[in-house]
Amino acid sequence: MKICFVVPELPILEKIQILMKNEFKRIEPYYLIYNDYKEVYKDLDKIQKNFDAVLFGGKLPYLYCAEKIKQEVMWSYVPRTGSTLVTALAYLSRQGYDLKRICFDTYSEEVLKEVYEELNIAHDFKPLLFKGDPLNDNYIDEVFDFHLRNIKSGKADIVFTHIFLVHNKILQLQLPSFFAVTTYNVLREQIEKLEQYSYIQKEEAGQVVVLFINIDYPPEYLLMQETSEHYLDEKRSIEKRIYRYADKILGFVIELSNNTYMILSTSASVKKETDNYHYISLLDTLEKYTLYTVSIGIGQADNVAQARKNAIASMLSAYKHKKNSAYIRLGNGKVVGPLYAEDKVTSKQPLDDRLDKIAKHTGMSVNTVYAIYTFASSKSDGCFTSMELAENMGINKRSTDRFLRRLEDYGYIKIIGSRILGKSGRPSRIMRFYLEP
């Protein structure tokens, strides 16, 4: 197997070289080293077909190359994990740095929150975190300016970055910066996954399975600035569940677009998890985390290309139902489907029963719960404010606040952001209704 590693010169390159020398002698490595990730796509486009897979040192160069050139072979990237963050923060703490006075980039708020809670940092603490579009041409300058402002204003004592260019620019000003290097274990896992992908490609006839997963976000949900953060939060939550499911079926995840994912696995693993293609637990899981339609297509064949075609056709069949569903196309031409979420949810427990359960759980009337759910479902992005609900129900805001607090206490309402309505006034909380706490 041949892998092209797309990485900055230091220090991740050294770790990969050590792993390849000591643990992966069976793999032939090639190192495409860059100083500026915005230029590396030119060289990669010329040579990628010479390899079985390409592994990027981080998500930023991966996203930029995916925007510029066509993916000809398997691509993946080394993720930013909580374990890497914990290791790095522990080191900085031993060096005497106050962990509440660090400015970050590239990590998600969710990961930072989980790690800081593990480190027993105050629950309400909010780290200084840069948020921006990594495909923006000025992204590096924006990240650099963010860190520089926080250091010079005294809000932060050190920069914590995954971007080598930013790290170097900060150091050139003789300011403190920590470049987060992925742990050996995370690197090892990514290389092993690529090996697994190569194995799947060479599996015996009928043993390759491809899953396509599509989340039917409305276009305005992706484009409206005021909902972009809510979209990202939901997307991260969904991705976490997709990756967990992939682990269960010993699969490999490829993010094809903002709302479409592909998982490569084997027939034996998928048949075991799905009870011989009778039940897709991922439908149940995702139904709890998004109000939008989930369409899953599963394809089986004697090679990846045909299994992929079968999976796409299956996903399109599921998509036509306009409800959470899945189809399966086997190598012998047999089609299984549609499959829906678990029977206890879809048939034995229809929507009215689920709303009745919520009413009993919260001590509210069924009519009130139904009215709130109906209004939430009518919103294109599933998000609403207390004032909007009050106007819809024809009652005062104090009453709706009381209802919503009760639902929030039991986990059926979650606050996902805030916005100011009108030209002035206090921010209104943006919330979403969930059928499961």
Side-chain angles (χ1 to χ4, degrees), residues 146-159:
F146 166 81
H147 287 309
L148 191 59
R149 285 196 308 272
N150 283 296
I151 292 291
K152 289 194 170 183
S153 67
K155 292 181 179 179
D157 296 328
I158 188 170
V159 170

Side-chain angles (χ1 to χ4, degrees), residues 60-97:
L60 190 57
Y62 166 85
L63 289 174
Y64 199 82
C65 286
E67 184 78 6
K68 294 293 184 179
I69 61 176
K70 182 181 179 181
Q71 178 180 339
E72 302 285 352
V73 297
M74 172 62 195
W75 287 10
S76 187
Y77 61 87
V78 178
R80 297 179 290 274
T81 65
S83 61
T84 300
L85 182 56
V86 169
T87 302
L89 290 177
Y91 169 80
L92 290 177
S93 180
R94 292 195 299 270
Q95 299 302 308
Y97 284 100

Side-chain angles (χ1 to χ4, degrees), residues 351-374 393 403 407 433:
L351 178 61
D352 286 349
D353 289 349
R354 300 175 78 183
L355 295 178
D356 183 60
K357 177 183 175 182
I358 293 172
K360 290 178 179 178
H361 191 198
T362 59
M364 296 170 59
S365 75
V366 174
N367 288 339
T368 299
V369 173
Y370 184 83
I372 296 172
Y373 171 76
T374 301
M393 295 179 66
F403 296 145
L407 289 168
F433 188 102

Side-chain angles (χ1 to χ4, degrees), residues 199-210 264-268 270 277 299-308 310 329 331:
Y199 166 76
I200 291 173
Q201 281 190 311
K202 299 171 184 176
E203 269 281 58
E204 297 178 0
Q207 295 300 306
V208 180
V209 171
V210 173
L264 294 169
S265 186
T266 62
S267 179
V270 175
Y277 302 121
Q300 181 196 44
D302 58 0
N303 59 75
V304 173
Q306 186 58 50
R308 178 186 171 111
N310 289 345
R329 288 177 183 263

Side-chain angles (χ1 to χ4, degrees), residues 81-321:
T81 65
S83 61
T84 300
L85 182 56
V86 169
T87 302
L89 290 177
Y91 169 80
L92 290 177
S93 180
R94 292 195 299 270
Q95 299 302 308
Y97 284 100
D98 183 348
L99 299 188
K100 293 183 180 180
R101 295 178 54 79
I102 300 175
C103 47
F104 296 89
D105 57 54
T106 67
Y107 277 106
S108 69
E109 281 192 44
E110 184 180 23
V111 169
L112 286 172
K113 181 180 178 182
E114 289 178 356
V115 168
Y116 268 70
E117 286 180 353
E118 284 185 23
L119 297 173
N120 294 318
I121 305 296
H123 179 72
D124 58 350
F125 170 66
K126 292 186 177 181
L128 296 169
L129 174 63
F130 177 81
K131 298 178 182 179
D133 182 0
L135 297 180
N136 188 326
D137 288 338
N138 298 318
Y139 181 74
I140 295 297
D141 292 334
E142 291 173 356
V143 176
F144 172 74
D145 290 341
F146 166 81
H147 287 309
L148 191 59
R149 285 196 308 272
N150 283 296
I151 292 291
K152 289 194 170 183
S153 67
K155 292 181 179 179
D157 296 328
I158 188 170
V159 170
F160 191 110
T161 182
H162 265 277
I163 306 173
F164 198 60
L165 282 174
V166 171
H167 175 64
N168 279 341
K169 291 179 72 173
I170 295 292
L171 290 182
Q172 287 171 9
L173 296 177
Q174 297 184 334
L175 295 173
S177 178
F178 182 85
F179 181 68
V181 184
T182 304
T183 63
Y184 279 109
N185 193 49
V186 172
L187 289 171
R188 185 181 294 111
E189 287 178 356
Q190 295 306 305
I191 296 170
E192 287 174 347
K193 282 187 176 181
L194 288 177
E195 271 198 302
Q196 183 183 6
Y197 166 77
S198 180
Y199 166 76
I200 291 173
Q201 281 190 311
K202 299 171 184 176
E203 269 281 58
E204 297 178 0
Q207 295 300 306
V208 180
V209 171
V210 173
L211 291 82
F212 264 74
I213 304 154
N214 176 267
I215 314 297
D216 190 23
Y217 296 121
E220 62 269 21
Y221 194 46
L222 307 180
L223 298 175
M224 289 177 59
Q225 183 176 358
E226 67 177 6
T227 61
S228 60
E229 283 192 30
H230 316 323
Y231 157 70
L232 290 174
D233 288 341
E234 181 169 309
K235 185 174 185 293
R236 292 186 189 107
S237 181
I238 289 172
E239 284 182 352
K240 180 186 291 186
R241 276 76 199 178
I242 290 174
Y243 274 86
R244 285 178 181 173
Y245 187 80
D247 287 340
K248 291 171 69 175
I249 60 173
L250 303 178
F252 193 96
V253 180
I254 305 171
E255 184 178 347
L256 299 176
S257 68
N258 284 331
N259 64 341
T260 305
Y261 304 84
M262 182 173 76
I263 302 178
L264 294 169
S265 186
T266 62
S267 179
S269 297
V270 175
K271 287 174 72 175
K272 181 179 179 180
E273 169 60 25
T274 61
D275 188 21
N276 201 23
Y277 302 121
H278 285 92
Y279 167 60
I280 313 297
S281 64
L282 185 60
L283 281 173
D284 288 324
T285 302
L286 295 183
E287 188 175 71
K288 298 177 182 179
Y289 293 94
T290 181
L291 292 175
Y292 301 108
T293 304
V294 178
S295 304
I296 297 179
I298 299 178
Q300 181 196 44
D302 58 0
N303 59 75
V304 173
Q306 186 58 50
R308 178 186 171 111
K309 289 181 180 179
N310 289 345
I312 292 174
S314 297
M315 184 185 70
L316 292 175
S317 296
Y319 183 80
K320 293 177 182 178
H321 284 267

Side-chain angles (χ1 to χ4, degrees), residues 1-58:
M1 181 183 184
K2 297 180 180 179
I3 298 179
C4 175
F5 294 93
V6 183
V7 292
E9 185 170 2
L10 293 171
I12 190 174
L13 173 61
E14 183 179 0
K15 283 193 170 185
I16 293 175
Q17 289 175 329
I18 291 173
L19 279 175
M20 298 307 296
K21 180 180 179 181
N22 296 333
E23 300 183 31
F24 295 97
K25 295 179 181 179
R26 56 194 175 276
I27 296 176
E28 182 180 337
Y30 177 85
Y31 303 102
L32 180 54
I33 302 169
Y34 64 84
N35 290 318
D36 185 350
Y37 72 91
K38 292 184 179 179
E39 298 296 324
V40 74
Y41 74 90
K42 299 174 183 176
D43 291 327
L44 181 61
D45 194 32
K46 299 174 184 176
I47 64 172
Q48 63 168 314
K49 289 184 178 180
N50 298 327
F51 304 97
D52 299 296
V54 176
L55 182 61
F56 293 83

